[in-house]
Amino acid sequence: LMVPPLNFAMISPGVYRSGFPNPRSHPFLLQQRLRTIIYVHDGDCQTYHQQFIRDNDINYKHFRVAANREPFVEMDHAMVAEILAELLDTRNHPVLVHCNRGIRRVGCLVGCVRKLQGWAMTAIFDEYQRFSGTKIRIADQEFIEVFKSPAHMEVQHPAAVVAGQAE
């Protein structure tokens, strides 16, 4: 029985999102033939997950990102731009980006990708809310709304994910 991680979904061909994978979801992840896993959380990665990544020769990138919290804590815009550059770089594909539950930090990142794709804010917020359920945070939606991709954000091999197309 293949079990995907919590809140697993495709963002665009070769780009996936989820909550923290547990050992039961590792066989499912192997089927995705991941080249890169990006973990966005201010805590440490679980030992069993690090071992899975090493054993399967998957590139691993950990960005220590604090969650948005009222009244004055918000994700670092420059770090989010750096994560987006990694996510959109086709040399990292197939790629999985995950946080602990696949709701808040990943939801903000996906919202920023959707902005790059030209989605309407109502559609972006609708997608965010589908994954967050009752855990909607206004601070997350505000972050997505005000996020602007810095001019210095460089993507070496930009994915068609920005255009919303497969390569």
Side-chain angles (χ1 to χ4, degrees):
L1 179 65
M2 293 289 176
V3 180
L6 178 68
N7 285 320
F8 181 86
M10 180 186 291
I11 299 170
S12 191
V15 183
Y16 305 97
R17 68 173 289 162
S18 78
F20 200 95
N22 64 44
R24 291 187 61 208
S25 64
H26 287 165
F28 175 85
L29 293 179
L30 286 175
Q31 282 197 330
Q32 308 313 308
R33 299 181 187 268
L34 297 173
R35 183 176 295 161
T36 307
I37 292 178
I38 299 172
Y39 180 40
V40 290
H41 191 267
D42 50 3
D44 293 328
C45 184
Q46 297 288 331
T47 305
Y48 68 82
H49 192 51
Q50 291 175 358
Q51 188 64 48
F52 166 77
I53 290 165
R54 276 192 303 274
D55 290 349
N56 292 286
D57 199 30
I58 299 171
N59 297 323
Y60 173 70
K61 300 174 189 232
H62 183 180
F63 292 90
R64 293 187 181 274
V65 179
N68 296 310
R69 288 196 182 87
E70 294 288 350
F72 302 115
V73 177
E74 82 172 11
M75 295 169 71
D76 180 88
H77 286 251
M79 186 176 291
V80 168
E82 186 180 345
I83 296 166
L84 291 174
E86 293 290 340
L87 201 55
L88 301 177
D89 187 336
T90 57
R91 295 174 297 182
N92 293 325
H93 294 182
V95 58
L96 171 70
V97 61
H98 73 84
C99 54
N100 278 352
R101 291 179 301 216
I103 296 173
R104 302 200 47 232
R105 292 170 182 91
V106 166
C108 288
L109 290 168
V110 172
C112 293
V113 168
R114 300 306 187 205
K115 279 185 78 169
L116 293 171
Q117 291 175 323
W119 283 31
M121 290 307 297
T122 53
I124 294 170
F125 292 157
D126 181 57
E127 181 179 42
Y128 171 87
Q129 290 170 358
R130 274 193 314 247
F131 283 92
S132 63
T134 60
K135 299 189 183 306
I136 295 168
R137 298 279 172 96
I138 298 302
D140 289 341
Q141 292 178 317
E142 288 172 350
F143 178 86
I144 294 167
E145 189 169 13
V146 302
F147 180 81
K148 290 182 178 29
S149 178
H152 69 275
M153 182 176 134
E154 294 181 26
V155 180
Q156 297 297 321
H157 296 265
V161 66
V162 174
Q165 313 165 11
E167 289 193 285

